[in-house]
Amino acid sequence: MSRVSGSKEPMLPKRMLPKMMLTPRPMVSLVAALVLLFSAQVVPAGESKLALTGGTVMTVSGESIADGVVLIEDGIITAVGTAETEIPYDAMEVDCTGMILAPGFVDPHSSDGLDIPNENLPSAPFVDVFDALDPSRFFFEDSLRNGVTSIHVMQGNNCVVGGVSRIVHPIGLTPHEMSRQAGVALKLSTTPRRGYGRMRQLAELREVFEEYDRWRENLAESRYEQEADKEDDDDTDALPPEESRSQGQELIRDEDLDDQHRHLAHLIDGRLGAWIYCGSATDVAPALALVAERDWKDRAVLVLAGDAHLAIEEIKEAGIDVVLDSDLIHRKRDALTGDVEETFIPDVYRRAGVRFAIQPSRSGAMPERFIGYQAARLVRSGMAPAAALRIVTLGAAEICGIDDRYGSIEVGKIGNIVMWTGDPLDLNSWVQKVFVEGILAYDLEKDARLERLFPEEPEPVEAPAPLDDEGTSEEGEGAKPAEGTPEKTAGEASSEDGEPLEEKSSEKGEAPADKPADPPKESSAAGGE
């Protein structure tokens, strides 16, 4: 069993290199070859077992374990226990003494990993965020640095009907390597997109699904006729269009779906979730009506912003989960008194018993860009620290439908674990290491970007030796005076007490006031004549 300390473990110089070990590929360039070479320093060839020992394990799903042990094999957590847990002889052990081990944060809603948040077309249900993922974006690097290991990448809110989302890890050289679950949900919006009014927004949203219904009915009727022709039974009476369409619904196959309607079909059939953006309380009612009409209650999530919390009673009655905007405080000015009333939005949903997730800010103040800080704000408002940590880990995973694999440190789940120097919700704590699927993906001590921002201070330069009374250094004659000390001329020599000596006049007498005296000749004496 090889033992690697928490501070001296060999690491990668780049954040994406470990992913090469997760999905080996043929080396097509020198860079790719170097990736594989350096990645072997983290997990030697053939070694797929990892043991994290000595740290405090915050499981989220249960009690914390002091001096705990977490075993990961082939990316899956196989054991979580105390120091008495048996460690396999062939596991690589990482000493986490003094550290805290917690599940990686789950970002429930983000478009930062895409080349653009939204398409120019208002309704584009046929697109997939897979085609717009950009692994080179600093967003993914920052996510690792901030303890985020799972991201639900979804198109932005400026749309009528957006594309299909997916779950990704913030490491990898290609979208394929980053992806962990495709086809999570389809993005919709009842809030007017830029340049739209509310009537136009809702009319176009209805038209998308009405057009799909017409296309589906025609496809069902066509499929029924195709099957009827195969039977070639002349005695069979032709069915009315409505009945043939009804029976033809069950005959529709995936290969019958065209690219324009495939994702809508998966949404209607229950294979995709419906995430609906509501930027104000006014937009909540149309969203809930659409959910009820299409029977999406178990698959719908509301992405809320603005004053949408004013519709809390309707949201609670519908029993739908919500994802809150990064601005967790709503401010309203009283029209009569001019006083500003502030509402901490998560408290509204917490008191109502509505399950919610929070997300970091994309362009706000610096602290709000950390999802851990957003969770700390919940603690400041009265929530228990353990409950706040659950909101940004297991709770977010539940809303995204991935809690069977992510969000907590449990046997059978993916080994996405973050090593913290302290409480994950304390801004004085730092991410020391990040393990994604049991692979070391980030190390603070090897963060090249932080090394540039905070370079090591240069070694101090030794001061020159002092001069003696004759102007020579103690190290030997002829030494130059210290840097910055002006050389003294004959007329500027000093006495022993440091006072300057008066300049002597020449033998010919004083020079006239209107005519400057000839410059004195240099003398080797201290005073010079």
Side-chain angles (χ1 to χ4, degrees), residues 425-454:
L425 305 187
D426 187 346
L427 278 183
N428 293 320
S429 301
W430 295 89
V431 173
Q432 188 68 31
K433 297 181 188 296
V434 178
F435 297 90
V436 176
E437 295 185 353
I439 302 298
L440 186 56
Y442 173 79
D443 190 338
L444 177 65
E445 297 180 1
K446 301 297 182 180
D447 192 324
R449 200 171 302 280
L450 289 184
E451 289 178 0
R452 283 190 174 186
L453 291 174
F454 306 102

Side-chain angles (χ1 to χ4, degrees), residues 283-437:
D283 304 322
V284 173
L288 295 180
L290 181 61
V291 170
E293 177 186 354
R294 297 289 174 174
D295 194 22
W296 293 341
K297 178 180 179 180
D298 297 332
R299 298 180 285 115
V301 174
L302 299 184
V303 181
L304 304 180
D307 63 352
H309 62 280
L310 299 178
I312 183 61
E313 294 300 328
E314 290 77 7
I315 296 173
K316 179 181 179 180
E317 183 179 354
I320 298 177
D321 298 332
V322 301
V323 174
L324 304 183
D325 185 68
S326 59
D327 190 1
L328 301 180
I329 296 180
H330 179 259
R331 297 172 177 85
K332 181 180 180 181
R333 184 179 297 277
D334 189 285
L336 297 178
T337 64
D339 296 335
V340 177
E341 178 183 356
E342 291 189 349
T343 301
F344 190 63
I345 298 175
D347 283 347
V348 177
Y349 297 94
R350 180 164 58 92
R351 289 192 295 264
V354 176
R355 187 167 64 175
F356 66 90
I358 58 177
Q359 52 184 320
S361 174
R362 313 301 175 188
S363 59
M366 180 60 70
E368 296 174 353
R369 300 189 182 193
F370 299 94
I371 195 170
Y373 173 79
Q374 297 287 69
R377 297 172 69 183
L378 304 180
V379 178
R380 186 174 60 186
S381 70
M383 182 179 290
L389 180 61
R390 191 184 190 283
I391 291 290
V392 293
T393 52
L394 187 58
E398 290 172 346
I399 291 178
C400 293
I402 56 174
D403 54 297
D404 58 330
R405 290 163 292 155
Y406 303 101
S408 61
I409 302 179
E410 298 181 71
V411 174
K413 289 196 173 184
I414 303 296
N416 288 1
I417 298 178
V418 179
M419 182 193 299
W420 294 85
T421 59
D423 188 338
L425 305 187
D426 187 346
L427 278 183
N428 293 320
S429 301
W430 295 89
V431 173
Q432 188 68 31
K433 297 181 188 296
V434 178
F435 297 90
V436 176
E437 295 185 353

Side-chain angles (χ1 to χ4, degrees), residues 151-220:
I151 305 171
H152 183 202
V153 178
M154 173 173 278
Q155 283 195 286
N157 303 320
N158 187 37
C159 67
V160 176
V161 178
V164 176
S165 65
R166 65 178 48 213
I167 302 295
V168 304
H169 284 165
I171 59 174
L173 300 177
T174 65
H176 174 74
E177 292 178 352
M178 301 176 68
S179 298
R180 283 300 172 266
Q181 179 173 330
V184 177
L186 197 68
K187 185 65 172 289
L188 312 172
S189 176
T190 55
T191 297
R193 74 187 299 265
R194 195 174 298 113
Y196 274 39
R198 182 163 281 102
M199 287 192 300
R200 182 179 179 183
Q201 179 79 16
L202 297 181
E204 189 161 335
L205 183 61
R206 287 192 297 267
E207 175 59 27
V208 169
F209 289 99
E210 290 173 359
E211 189 276 333
Y212 167 79
D213 291 338
R214 293 191 297 269
W215 172 84
R216 179 95 181 190
E217 290 176 354
N218 294 333
L219 177 61

